[in-house]
Amino acid sequence: MDVQRLDRFVSSQMGEISRSAARDLIKKGGVEVNGAVERRPERRISPESDEISVSGAKIEYKKHLYIMLNKPAGVVCATRDGLSRSVIELLPKNLIRAGLFPAGRLDKDSVGFVLITDDGALAHRILSPKSHVKKKYFVRLKSPLSGDEEAAFAGGMAIYGGEKCLPAELRRLSEKECEVILCEGKYHQIKRMFSALGNEVVYLKRTEIAGIELDPALEEGRARELSLEEAAKLTL
Ligand code: URA
């Protein structure tokens, strides 16, 4: 069973509290373990079986966080970026904790669903092309679709630089709009696939990851935790 120091637990579960602030809070008597005030930051606790309260409110233990963010354009998929705002900086206070990172990247000018987590094993699994986890995108193009794209995408195209893509699905929606489903994530992949066919992507939005749809009620720039049902789809 996972056993850890009380100060580490408090700061990891309460995003806005640093380790030293957690230590001060504990020393001042603000933290209870199983109903009794505990002033020793080094006290070892078991998150699964001990009940920890801060200022009288029980901490709901979550081993990992799984967050859906609707990324706006102009924000980078990185933990930190010296120049541009990163997706992590868009998270509300209650969803911030150490170790969060975007599981999969969208380009700076792309928008839509970014999954943010601190679960490295899960991120590795959903990003590995071997896992065949599907990601769906809405694409708007500069020029009309020619009709040859479905077959080209399904056949596993070669893109600039000699890379070969896994078979992908394309569904035409209108003259210049389509949905694309990939089970891998090469750098600028969709843009390079259309570029290889003489077209250009003018708008790109990720709408689904692993069968979890981007919540239509989630405005650009907003984030929320996945529901239990949504999170269960990641482990299938
Ligand atoms: N393909 C791209 O070209 N860009 C993205 O952001 C995602 C997929």
Side-chain angles (χ1 to χ4, degrees), residues 218-229:
L218 197 65
E219 287 168 29
E220 275 191 14
R222 297 290 173 145
R224 69 156 169 83
E225 267 188 87
L226 294 189
S227 67
L228 288 179
E229 280 141 36

Side-chain angles (χ1 to χ4, degrees), residues 4 12-13 38 55 85 94 99 101 130 181 219:
Q4 56 181 278
S12 75
Q13 297 296 306
E38 175 57 75
S55 310
R85 269 215 302 175
N94 65 315
F101 62 93
K130 288 189 192 125
I181 300 172
E219 287 168 29

Side-chain angles (χ1 to χ4, degrees), residues 29-219:
V31 178
E32 290 178 10
V33 177
N34 301 324
V37 171
E38 175 57 75
R39 292 177 193 271
R40 291 171 299 154
E42 69 280 8
R43 159 87 183 262
R44 317 269 311 163
I45 57 109
S46 164
E48 271 104 18
S49 57
D50 289 322
E51 192 177 299
I52 318 298
S53 307
V54 173
S55 310
K58 183 176 176 242
I59 294 184
E60 205 72 54
Y61 172 59
K62 285 178 190 151
K63 188 164 185 183
H64 293 299
L65 280 185
Y66 303 98
I67 299 165
M68 172 190 292
L69 169 79
N70 188 357
K71 179 184 130 26
V75 175
V76 294
C77 279
T79 43
R80 224 168 247 143
D81 184 275
L83 301 170
S84 311
R85 269 215 302 175
S86 83
V87 286
I88 301 297
E89 290 168 65
L90 294 180
L91 296 178
K93 254 185 170 185
N94 65 315
L95 291 181
I96 292 172
R97 66 155 75 162
L100 287 172
F101 62 93
R105 283 164 191 256
L106 284 180
D107 297 335
K108 189 171 174 182
D109 59 351
S110 300
V111 299
F113 190 173
V114 176
L115 177 69
I116 297 176
T117 185
D118 54 354
D119 184 345
L122 177 116
H124 178 74
R125 200 154 45 72
I126 63 168
L127 295 177
S128 165
K130 288 189 192 125
S131 308
H132 287 265
V133 171
K134 290 183 178 173
K135 293 130 207 155
K136 195 191 274 184
Y137 301 82
F138 170 82
V139 184
R140 190 170 297 130
L141 298 159
K142 190 169 179 184
S143 308
L145 288 152
S146 69
D148 298 334
E149 294 86 356
E150 280 94 338
F153 275 42
M157 303 178 41
I159 50 179
Y160 181 71
E163 275 182 272
K164 182 121 166 42
C165 301
L166 290 173
E169 216 178 308
L170 182 143
R171 290 186 202 140
R172 183 192 168 99
L173 299 173
S174 70
E175 199 189 30
K176 294 185 183 175
E177 290 175 343
C178 61
E179 259 178 4
V180 171
I181 300 172
L182 300 182
C183 55
E184 59 180 340
K186 297 188 195 301
Y187 182 64
H188 290 335
Q189 183 162 345
I190 295 178
K191 291 175 184 163
R192 288 157 79 204
M193 290 169 94
F194 279 105
S195 163
L197 299 173
N199 209 334
E200 194 184 316
V201 172
V202 294
Y203 177 83
L204 185 57
K205 176 177 188 170
R206 183 153 60 202
T207 56
E208 208 176 293
I209 298 174
I212 305 167
E213 273 179 51
L214 176 65
D215 184 344
L218 197 65
E219 287 168 29

